[in-house]
Amino acid sequence: MTRVANQHGAINLAHGFPDFDPPEELLVALEKTTRGPFHQYAVTWGAPRFRQALARKIPRFTGLAVDPDQHLVVTCGSTEAMMVAMMTACNPGDKVIVFSPFYENYVADTILSGAEPIYVALRPPDFAFDPDELRRAFQQRPKALVLCNPSNPSGKVFTREELLYIAKLAAGLRDGAAGGDPLGAQGP
Ligand SMILES: Cc1ncc(COP(=O)(O)O)c(C=O)c1O
């Protein structure tokens, strides 16, 4: 799309180009790091010092205790992480809920895992989902739901209420209620 947009002088909505440089502190740290003894292959699931630093950071943001050797794998970007997660979670024939519009790789990840996407619309102006549509999607017993928050490309930030509703449907599915309705008779 970038090549075609350039060819026609169109506004390119296919590719994000930040109009600012990375923070100076980051550039200085990066330069310093290139002078260190860091030029050999790391262990394949991530350099220990990096995983240890992540294990110190993650609890501050999530409240989750993380063991750097048991719980962390460093991937080459989030594209690889998503693909690994999808192939771990899904078997051929499974279903995956994808909010639409979606970041392009999510459906490719789903299909490459042999799973089938169930699209749930996010509708402008606030890109909210219809609770009944999501409930119907959960009735198909999906194996996974892709939650991109804030979402690319809409920029939608899911509200606490929406996240709790998604969690409630997921818990209902886990607890086996979704042969019928993941929320039972309770409603949202
Ligand atoms: C939602 C989303 N996921 C993944 C990616 C790609 O990330 P990475 O370069 O870490 O693989 C992008 C890039 O724009 C993105 O917007």
Side-chain angles (χ1 to χ4, degrees), residues 83 86-87 89-96 106-117:
M83 193 64 229
M86 293 289 262
M87 292 191 85
C90 297
N91 290 316
D94 284 341
K95 296 192 172 166
V96 174
Y106 295 154
V107 169
D109 294 341
T110 303
I111 291 168
L112 283 169
S113 306
E116 186 193 324

Side-chain angles (χ1 to χ4, degrees), residues 98-104 106-107 119-124 126-128 146 148 150-156 158:
V98 180
F99 288 111
S100 177
F102 52 85
Y103 173 65
E104 60 181 345
Y106 295 154
V107 169
Y119 299 104
V120 172
L122 296 174
R123 294 194 174 82
D126 59 353
F127 292 93
V146 179
C148 183
S151 175
N152 179 359
S154 63
K156 191 235 178 0
F158 289 80

Side-chain angles (χ1 to χ4, degrees), residues 16 76-80 82 103 105-106 148 150-152:
C76 301
S78 61
T79 301
E80 183 187 350
M82 272 303 287
Y103 173 65
N105 280 1
Y106 295 154
C148 183
S151 175
N152 179 359

Side-chain angles (χ1 to χ4, degrees), residues 6-182:
N6 288 345
Q7 198 181 329
H8 296 280
I11 295 172
N12 181 9
L13 299 179
H15 211 158
F17 292 100
D19 55 3
F20 51 88
D21 288 330
E24 183 58 23
E25 296 85 345
L26 200 62
L27 295 177
V28 170
L30 185 63
E31 202 178 324
K32 213 167 122 197
T33 302
T34 63
R35 298 290 165 200
F38 309 119
H39 297 287
Q40 300 300 329
Y41 283 117
V43 59
T44 42
W45 57 95
R49 271 165 39 108
F50 184 38
R51 280 184 286 111
Q52 285 154 13
L54 290 171
R56 286 193 296 275
K57 177 185 171 189
I58 291 168
R60 289 210 307 274
F61 287 88
T62 65
L64 296 173
V66 172
D67 178 332
D69 297 320
Q70 296 291 321
H71 303 139
L72 293 182
V73 175
V74 178
T75 59
C76 301
S78 61
T79 301
E80 183 187 350
M82 272 303 287
M83 193 64 229
V84 169
M86 293 289 262
M87 292 191 85
T88 303
C90 297
N91 290 316
D94 284 341
K95 296 192 172 166
V96 174
I97 296 178
V98 180
F99 288 111
S100 177
F102 52 85
Y103 173 65
E104 60 181 345
N105 280 1
Y106 295 154
V107 169
D109 294 341
T110 303
I111 291 168
L112 283 169
S113 306
E116 186 193 324
I118 309 173
Y119 299 104
V120 172
L122 296 174
R123 294 194 174 82
D126 59 353
F127 292 93
F129 57 79
D130 172 354
D132 286 334
E133 189 183 345
L134 187 61
R135 182 204 293 239
R136 284 197 300 278
F138 267 88
Q139 283 168 348
Q140 297 184 51
R141 304 186 65 79
K143 197 65 167 298
L145 172 148
V146 179
L147 184 72
C148 183
N149 190 28
S151 175
N152 179 359
S154 63
K156 191 235 178 0
V157 177
F158 289 80
T159 64
R160 183 174 176 78
E161 213 175 28
E162 287 172 326
L163 293 173
L164 288 172
Y165 182 71
I166 295 169
K168 204 166 171 182
L169 289 172
L173 190 58
R174 179 200 58 201
D175 298 342
D181 186 335

